[in-house]
Amino acid sequence: MADFIEELSVEALIAAPGCPEILVERMLHSALVEFYRDTKAWRMVTDNSAVIKGINSVELDLPADTALAKVYWVKLGDKPLMAISNRNVSYAVGPPKGYAFNGFGREIQLDVVPEESLILDGITAYVALQPLNSLTEVPDDMFSLHRDGILYGAIAKLLATPNVAWGNLDAAATYASMAASARFDALRQAENNQAPVVRVAKYGGI
């Protein structure tokens, strides 16, 4: 795991001389969150999460200090579930056939209340992650791919700060453009490398 604050702080301070370290850390956090929010480039297939009888919410097995940014597919055992809207979630009891995601957090909702527990053949999902502000480390492979985009975004923010000695709007615009280009490349690469789409029949739930 890479401590992105430790890895990028020196370069950010060189680009914005005289800037307080606490502000550099804050802008690096902000840039990291925005990078993965905008690109959906931090993706993974989750490990198995148990389905518990009588409970239609399932917390996915995500890294610490992250939340769901997007859910691409969900399987119950080896059976794909259909994405549905929250209004189609029911409290009827039965075998789940669909799932809903409300846009943030670490949980999905099953379309019905499970009639039995499924511990080993539970829920797996292919998802994009959203870092929380408390995140301090990212996987080494992700950091190596995205470090420049995160750094450029942070430097752009620092240089755009008004009424400070290190401010430079022209340089800020240049770094912002470089950050946007890095985000585009990250999104394209994530789309090219994504896990195969799970095909499901038309939802026939309640």
Side-chain angles (χ1 to χ4, degrees):
M1 298 290 282
D3 183 331
F4 70 96
I5 297 293
E6 182 177 323
E7 294 282 349
L8 299 178
S9 288
V10 172
E11 292 175 74
L13 284 166
I14 290 172
C19 179
E21 290 188 21
I22 187 67
L23 182 58
V24 169
E25 293 182 10
R26 189 182 309 150
M27 293 306 182
L28 284 169
H29 266 115
S30 176
L32 178 88
V33 170
E34 288 182 8
F35 185 90
Y36 288 114
R37 180 197 66 201
D38 293 346
T39 65
K40 310 292 189 295
W42 187 350
R43 301 186 186 187
M44 64 175 290
V45 177
T46 65
D47 289 335
N48 178 76
S49 294
V51 172
I52 305 302
K53 178 181 178 179
I55 301 176
N56 74 336
S57 62
V58 179
E59 181 172 342
L60 299 182
D61 187 12
L62 307 181
D65 300 311
T66 65
L68 293 167
K70 187 172 181 178
V71 179
Y72 293 92
W73 55 252
V74 173
K75 292 194 295 184
L76 177 60
D78 60 356
K79 297 178 181 178
L81 300 182
M82 171 63 76
I84 63 173
S85 67
N86 284 290
R87 67 176 178 270
N88 284 328
V89 172
S90 167
Y91 290 100
V93 176
K97 297 180 181 179
Y99 73 93
F101 169 53
N102 66 7
F104 196 72
R106 298 170 66 92
E107 292 184 345
I108 59 169
Q109 302 292 318
L110 301 175
D111 60 337
V112 295
V113 177
E115 61 189 359
E116 61 178 339
S117 293
L118 299 166
I119 305 302
L120 298 180
D121 292 321
I123 293 290
T124 55
Y126 179 55
V127 302
L129 300 178
Q130 169 73 59
L132 304 180
N133 287 329
S134 52
L135 185 76
T136 59
E137 294 182 328
V138 295
D140 290 327
D141 57 339
M142 299 295 299
F143 182 72
S144 129
L145 286 172
H146 304 141
R147 70 177 306 282
D148 289 346
I150 296 164
L151 177 62
Y152 297 155
I155 292 175
K157 292 173 179 291
L158 291 170
L159 296 180
T161 306
N163 305 316
V164 294
W166 62 85
N168 185 325
L169 291 180
D170 290 337
T174 298
Y175 276 104
S177 177
M178 293 164 64
S181 178
R183 288 195 298 271
F184 176 80
D185 289 343
L187 173 59
R188 182 176 58 184
Q189 185 173 27
E191 292 293 335
N192 289 339
N193 296 336
Q194 70 178 349
V197 175
V198 174
R199 303 295 182 185
V200 294
K202 184 177 180 181
Y203 179 68
I206 297 172

